[in-house]
């Protein structure tokens, strides 16, 4: 993407850039009208850095005009003249913001990062202005207070209630003085989140471990060694090996490297990430905590955790903590059993050290190989990324009748991206689905699903279908082999595809109720639920073929994978539940002075009795879920909360068949319904009862 270069006499307008000189050329800003592309995919190749700001400003103006039109309406407030236009304030703003947000996370250039930093505060200011607009809120409030006097469809009633709740939670009931303070707090938080994320991306990309002796690579898979050599070459260190904090590199070192010093360097590098120099996120965290506490107090809550859980299924942080402790305690006890077994194995090999955190992955893998004869290097050739992609598509076809046709000529924002036309069981277009799976410096860590466009029904009855994408950070192909996935990678791919299905299958009328716009503690249900099919023996026969020979994965390997599925589950559950509890503990604070971030984490770990051999899944300076924005703040518990639902649901499939068409149809209804119905009502219509927490403990092997 090359920025356009202007001459002295060029002039920029919101929708058109005019270039004049010897000849006259005209270039239209692609954001300024509906895209003339297949299914409205953004024309990424045409978009230039100079397009974002004028389109953004035009979109804000368009949205403000829509709001003025709503408030100027002299007719009594109704769903059609108030809520419906609020649902679609500015198509222009939707287009520019969706692309900017997507690329800022998945393929950020320095120029785009600068644009994002400039426009995000403007976006926050606009949303604050809208949510505190008293004339607009008065119309919403009238609808809310009279909701029981009008016979409206359920989705409209929910939309009115949710809209009113959002206005209140954004300060609509506050005095003008307090609204001004809240706007100031929100502006500061936006700046702090941008700084936190920038520090984290810089820290991730600057860290490296350079190895110059081949013997120090003992135990590592050849694909990891090859990727480290390629990374070294790219960094001007040809002939050496460079390991980074990106998951494929980091986890391979911790799991397989025989060199204990190398493992220790990697573990310490990861757990001190974003804690040094200009990239130190601990001062940023302190500022975030103070601003969040101010926000909660302004809105009438005792702390930020109470504010963030009030509109979720949990309702209170205490309810979330109660569930987490039911899982954390048996998981912690399981860790003691796991460490004992690993220590015995280490001692038998002649080692004279106690298992340390940087040894956990390594000896857990040794135990897995010994007890289950399961060697991941033996398994990965059956899980080339294209094979697993075939698997997720096959699952969607068996359960929901979907088919996926690649669109090789469709617009894409990076060469790694693949684009698919998704069709429903009738062969009609359902959605566009994009995949972007490989790690690169321009992409933040982790894996996620997002929408470039949601789905909704226009007033004239025409239907808009969504554009969904999945992003991962898997090790890329090498010169000799395609991208080969680990067991965790495969599970991640099914997980994010579950989110994708939630977006693709959406059939609601309203944009605001589409797809994943459900309660935060229900949004992980579809993703985690579909993970169960990743290693189902019937599914593996469909997609797990050796990348060289085409051989189907042997039954013996399938049996080993499933036999080992609960291996190391104490560790994985304890670090996850511990991180969720740490998140809520941060949310309870109302600090006036600075908090020692490291000391606070240690205090929480000591109170929980966190085993010395592990730590929280994420330390706070790189816990992007909770400090990179408000999304999962005081909400990381939702993964385990939702797992209660998905484990319970899968038990029904195990009883009646994993591709049972009746049950699949009921799950499809949940996915299609988005936020148009209460999630517990949707779940009870599927299961005939509320979910039981017993299934999660059994499936994780934490109880007999």
């Amino acid at each position: 993407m090359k920025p356009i270069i202007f001459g002295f006499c060029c002039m920029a307008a919101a929708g058109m850039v005019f270039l004049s000189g010897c000849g006259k050329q005209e270039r239209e800003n692609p954001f300024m009208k509906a895209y003339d592309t297949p299914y409205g995919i953004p024309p990424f190749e045409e978009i230039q850095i100079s397009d974002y700001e004028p389109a953004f400003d035009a979109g804000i103006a368009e949205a403000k005009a829509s709001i003025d039109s709503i408030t100027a309406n002299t007719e009594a407030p109704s769903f059609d003249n108030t809520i419906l236009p609020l649902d679609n304030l500015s198509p222009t703003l939707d287009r520019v913001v969706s692309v900017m947000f997507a690329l800022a996370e998945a393929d950020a250039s320095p120029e785009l990062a600068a644009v994002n930093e400039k426009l995000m505060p403007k976006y926050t200011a606009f949303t604050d202005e809208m949510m505190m607009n008293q004339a607009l809120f008065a119309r919403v409030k009238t609808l809310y207070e009279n909701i029981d006097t009008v016979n409206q469809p359920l989705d409209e009633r929910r939309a009115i209630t949710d809209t009113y709740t959002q206005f209140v939670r954004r300060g609509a009931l506050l005095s003008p003085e307090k609204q001004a303070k809240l706007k100031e707090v929100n502006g500061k938080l936006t700046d702090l989140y941008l700084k936190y994320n920038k520090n984290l991306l810089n820290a991730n990309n600057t860290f490296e471990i350079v190895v110059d002796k081949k013997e120090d690579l003992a135990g590592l898979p050849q694909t990891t060694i090859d990727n480290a050599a390629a990374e070294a070459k790219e960094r001007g260190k040809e002939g050496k090996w460079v390991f980074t904090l990106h998951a494929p590199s980091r986890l391979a070192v911790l799991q397989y490297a025989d060199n204990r010093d190398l493992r220790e360097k990697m573990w310490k590098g990861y757990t001190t990430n974003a804690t040094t120099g200009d990239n130190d996120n601990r001062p940023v965290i302190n500022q975030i905590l103070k601003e969040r506490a101010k926000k909660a107090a302004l809105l009438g809550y005792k702390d930020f955790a109470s504010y963030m859980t009030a509109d979720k299924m949990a309702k209170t942080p205490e309810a979330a903590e109660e569930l987490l402790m039911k899982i954390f305690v048996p998981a912690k006890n399981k860790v003691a059993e796991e460490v004992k077994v690993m220590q015995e194995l280490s001692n038998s090999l002649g080692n004279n050290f106690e298992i340390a955190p940087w040894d956990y992955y390594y000896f857990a893998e040794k135990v897995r190989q010994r007890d289950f004869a399961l060697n991941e290097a033996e398994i990965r050739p059956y899980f080339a990324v294209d094979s697993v992609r075939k698997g997720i598509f096959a699952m969607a076809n068996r359960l929901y009748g979907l088919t996926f046709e690649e669109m090789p000529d469709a617009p894409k924002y990076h060469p790694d991206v693949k684009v698919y036309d998704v069709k429903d069981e009738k062969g009609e277009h359902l959605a566009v689905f994009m995949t972007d799976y490989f790690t690169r410096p321009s992409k933040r860590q982790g894996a996620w699903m997002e929408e470039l466009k949601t789905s909704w029904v226009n007033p004239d009855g025409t239907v808009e279908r969504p554009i969904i994408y999945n992003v991962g950070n898997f090790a890329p192909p090498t010169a000799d082999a395609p991208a080969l996935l680990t067991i965790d990678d495969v599970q991640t791919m099914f997980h994010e595809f579950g989110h994708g299905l939630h977006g693709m299958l959406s059939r609601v009328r309203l944009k605001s109720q589409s797809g994943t716009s459900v309660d935060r503690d229900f949004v992980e249900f579809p993703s985690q639920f579909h993970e169960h099919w990743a290693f189902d023996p019937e599914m593996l026969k469909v997609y797990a073929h050796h990348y060289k020979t085409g051989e189907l994965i042997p039954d013996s390997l399938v049996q080993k994978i499933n036999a080992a599925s609960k291996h190391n589950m104490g560790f994985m559950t304890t670090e996850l539940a511990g991180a969720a509890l740490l998140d809520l503990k941060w949310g309870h604070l109302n600090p006036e002075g600075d908090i020692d971030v490291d000391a606070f984490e240690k205090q929480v770990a000591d109170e929980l009795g966190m085993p010395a051999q592990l730590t929280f899944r994420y330390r706070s300076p790189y816990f992007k879920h909770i400090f990179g924005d408000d999304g999962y703040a005081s909400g990381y518990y939702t993964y385990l909360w939702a797992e209660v639902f998905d484990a319970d649901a899968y038990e029904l499939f195990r009883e009646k068949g994993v591709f049972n068409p009746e049950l699949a149809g009921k799950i499809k209804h949940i996915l299609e319904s988005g936020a148009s119905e209460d999630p517990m009502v949707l779940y009870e219509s599927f299961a005939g009862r509320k979910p039981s927490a017993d299934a999660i403990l059994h499936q994780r092997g934490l109880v007999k």
Side-chain angles (χ1 to χ4, degrees):
M1 188 185 301
K2 297 181 180 179
I4 193 164
I5 299 175
F6 299 98
F8 284 106
C9 53
C10 69
M11 179 178 68
M16 198 80 72
V17 172
F18 299 97
L19 302 180
S20 59
C22 297
K24 183 178 179 181
Q25 292 182 327
E26 206 172 83
R27 177 182 174 275
E28 189 169 13
N29 188 322
F31 290 124
M32 293 303 298
K33 65 177 183 178
Y35 304 133
D36 184 19
T37 56
Y39 305 122
I41 301 171
F44 296 106
E45 294 90 344
E46 298 176 18
I47 296 170
Q48 307 204 14
I49 290 296
S50 57
D51 293 328
Y52 286 95
E53 187 170 3
F56 179 89
D57 290 343
I60 293 289
E62 185 176 57
K64 288 181 176 180
S66 297
I67 292 170
D68 289 343
S69 178
I70 297 170
T71 58
N73 194 328
T74 57
E75 296 179 4
S78 69
F79 179 84
D80 287 344
N81 68 24
T82 302
I83 303 299
L84 206 55
L86 268 176
D87 208 47
N88 192 22
L89 282 176
S90 170
T92 304
L93 189 61
D94 287 348
R95 285 191 292 270
V96 67
V97 166
S98 67
V99 172
M100 184 175 72
F101 286 0
L103 299 191
E105 297 279 272
D107 197 32
S109 65
E111 295 81 8
L112 180 61
V115 168
N116 190 48
E117 286 182 29
K118 182 176 182 180
L119 298 186
M120 275 300 296
K122 287 184 172 183
Y123 191 72
T124 300
F126 162 70
T127 56
D128 277 344
E129 181 183 333
M130 176 178 70
M131 301 307 280
M132 298 181 201
N133 182 316
Q134 291 304 297
L136 183 60
F137 177 59
R139 296 182 70 86
V140 173
K141 187 169 181 282
T142 297
L143 289 172
Y144 177 73
E145 290 176 341
N146 292 282
I147 197 168
D148 292 329
T149 66
V150 181
N151 185 22
Q152 287 179 305
L154 176 62
D155 61 344
E156 294 185 8
R157 290 174 63 88
R158 284 182 59 81
I160 292 169
T161 301
D162 290 345
T163 303
Y164 175 80
T165 300
Q166 288 174 31
F167 270 86
V168 172
R169 286 177 60 78
R170 294 295 298 267
L173 290 176
L174 298 180
S175 67
E177 293 77 16
K178 287 187 175 182
Q179 285 185 346
K181 290 180 181 178
L182 183 57
K183 289 177 182 179
E184 182 181 351
V185 167
N186 287 337
K188 288 181 179 179
L189 282 171
T190 297
D191 292 340
L192 290 167
Y193 295 148
L194 287 167
K195 186 174 182 180
Y196 181 97
N197 292 324
K198 184 177 181 179
N199 287 350
L200 181 53
L201 184 62
N202 289 340
N204 284 336
N205 288 334
T206 55
F207 178 87
E208 64 179 21
I209 298 175
V210 181
V211 174
D212 51 18
K213 296 178 182 178
K214 191 171 184 179
E215 55 266 29
D216 289 341
L217 305 175
L220 291 170
Q222 190 59 48
T223 53
T224 300
I225 294 172
D226 292 343
N227 283 324
E231 185 71 30
K233 183 177 180 180
E234 189 171 323
R235 296 188 182 211
K237 297 178 173 67
E238 191 166 3
K240 299 181 181 182
W241 297 267
V242 169
F243 298 93
T244 71
L245 293 180
H246 294 289
S249 180
R250 181 185 81 247
L251 294 176
V253 168
L254 292 173
Q255 193 168 0
Y256 297 110
D258 293 335
N259 186 317
R260 192 171 188 238
D261 288 341
L262 179 59
R263 299 200 305 269
E264 183 177 0
K265 285 180 184 176
M266 181 60 78
W267 187 85
K268 288 183 175 178
Y270 181 59
T271 56
T272 59
N273 191 23
T275 62
T276 58
D278 293 339
N279 296 325
D280 189 348
N281 265 334
R282 290 171 295 185
V284 184
I285 289 170
N286 265 289
Q287 294 176 68
I288 289 172
L289 293 173
K290 292 171 187 174
E291 297 305 321
R292 284 177 171 175
K294 291 177 186 175
K295 181 171 183 172
L298 283 167
L299 291 165
Y301 292 88
K302 65 178 181 179
D303 54 41
F304 189 72
S306 298
Y307 167 69
M308 290 300 289
T309 52
D311 65 336
K312 310 298 189 295
M313 295 179 75
K315 302 303 180 189
T316 67
E318 290 77 19
E321 288 163 341
E322 182 182 358
L323 171 70
L324 290 172
M325 290 307 296
K326 287 179 181 178
I327 297 169
F328 182 83
V329 172
K332 180 177 67 172
N333 295 337
K334 190 71 174 178
V335 166
E337 297 175 21
E338 293 170 357
V339 171
K340 181 181 178 182
V341 172
M342 291 190 292
Q343 190 67 62
E344 290 172 351
L345 175 59
S346 177
N347 294 344
S348 72
L349 295 174
N351 297 318
N352 60 356
F353 55 78
E354 291 187 4
I355 298 293
W358 47 88
D359 299 316
Y360 209 112
Y361 278 99
Y362 180 77
F363 283 101
E365 177 63 20
K366 293 290 187 188
V367 171
R368 182 170 70 167
Q369 292 181 21
R370 183 195 68 184
D371 293 353
F372 302 101
L374 186 64
N375 186 334
E376 195 134 11
E378 182 185 7
I379 295 170
R380 290 179 71 176
Y382 294 95
F383 295 127
V385 69
D386 286 339
S387 296
V388 182
R389 186 166 14 217
K390 177 182 176 183
I392 61 176
F393 291 170
M395 173 188 67
N397 180 259
R398 289 286 303 275
L399 288 172
Y400 312 121
L402 310 188
T403 55
F404 297 75
E405 297 178 4
E406 188 169 359
M407 302 170 64
D409 299 324
K412 54 191 68 173
Y413 60 82
H414 190 275
D416 288 346
V417 174
K418 291 193 175 183
V419 185
Y420 298 87
D421 181 359
V422 187
K423 296 185 177 180
D424 63 18
E425 64 275 17
K426 298 177 182 177
E428 297 176 354
H429 174 71
L430 180 73
V432 170
F433 180 58
M434 300 178 171
T435 64
D436 176 12
Y437 286 138
F438 306 130
T439 186
R440 57 177 175 267
S442 61
K443 182 190 293 186
R444 74 163 172 88
Q445 290 208 52
W448 62 94
M449 165 269 183
E450 197 46 87
E451 300 170 322
L452 284 162
K453 177 187 169 190
T454 60
S455 63
W456 69 92
V457 179
N458 291 308
D460 63 3
T462 57
V463 178
E464 301 289 341
R465 297 307 305 160
I467 301 172
I468 308 297
Y469 61 98
N470 277 178
V471 183
N473 268 285
F474 307 141
T478 65
D480 302 318
L484 302 177
L485 305 188
T486 66
I487 288 175
D488 285 345
D489 291 340
V490 173
Q491 199 164 358
T492 296
M493 199 157 158
F494 273 79
H495 176 103
E496 298 305 335
F497 186 65
H499 281 309
L501 288 169
H502 203 179
M504 287 183 267
L505 285 165
S506 180
R507 295 284 190 184
V508 299
R509 280 199 304 152
L510 304 176
K511 184 185 296 186
S512 58
Q513 295 177 344
S514 175
T516 57
S517 57
V518 297
D519 286 359
R520 175 63 73 187
D521 38 15
F522 193 70
V523 77
E524 296 297 337
F525 165 67
S527 55
Q528 295 175 169
F529 172 73
H530 288 93
E531 289 181 34
H532 292 285
W533 275 263
F535 301 108
D536 174 75
E538 193 172 345
M539 275 301 311
L540 288 170
K541 290 178 182 177
V542 173
Y543 79 89
H545 295 264
H546 197 287
Y547 79 95
K548 284 184 178 178
T549 66
E551 171 197 8
L552 180 67
I553 190 169
D555 288 341
S556 58
L557 271 184
V558 175
Q559 291 166 5
K560 290 177 184 178
I561 291 172
N562 285 289
S565 62
K566 295 180 178 63
H567 171 67
N568 206 33
M569 196 57 75
F571 170 86
M572 289 189 281
T573 308
T574 301
E575 64 162 10
L576 171 60
L581 287 161
L582 173 65
D583 169 35
L584 288 166
K585 296 294 185 184
W586 279 125
H588 283 307
L589 294 182
N590 293 310
E592 294 183 3
D594 284 349
I595 302 292
D596 184 325
V597 173
D598 298 336
F600 182 77
E601 286 188 351
K602 185 179 185 305
Q603 176 188 328
V604 174
D606 290 344
E607 290 173 356
L608 293 174
M610 180 75 76
Q613 297 84 4
L614 55 85
T615 186
F616 306 105
R617 174 169 289 187
Y618 302 105
R619 296 283 307 280
S620 302
Y622 53 91
F623 203 164
K624 180 179 169 62
H625 282 80
I626 69 168
F627 288 119
D629 55 41
D630 278 353
Y632 279 85
S634 294
Y636 197 64
Y637 75 89
T638 58
Y639 286 94
L640 287 167
W641 184 281
E643 192 172 337
V644 170
F645 288 83
D646 83 70
D648 185 79
Y650 189 66
E651 283 300 304
L652 293 177
F653 275 83
R654 280 164 52 99
E655 293 170 10
K656 298 185 178 182
V658 295
F659 291 105
N660 181 281
E662 180 184 359
L663 290 177
K666 290 181 177 181
I667 291 292
K668 186 180 181 184
H669 174 67
I670 293 177
L671 302 179
E672 290 176 336
S673 298
S676 65
E677 175 59 282
D678 181 271
M680 186 61 80
V681 171
L682 287 172
Y683 189 83
E684 289 188 51
S685 70
F686 157 73
R689 53 170 173 73
K690 286 182 168 60
S692 165
D694 293 341
I696 183 176
L697 297 176
H698 284 287
Q699 287 192 20
R700 284 182 171 260
L702 303 178
V703 295
K704 301 294 184 184

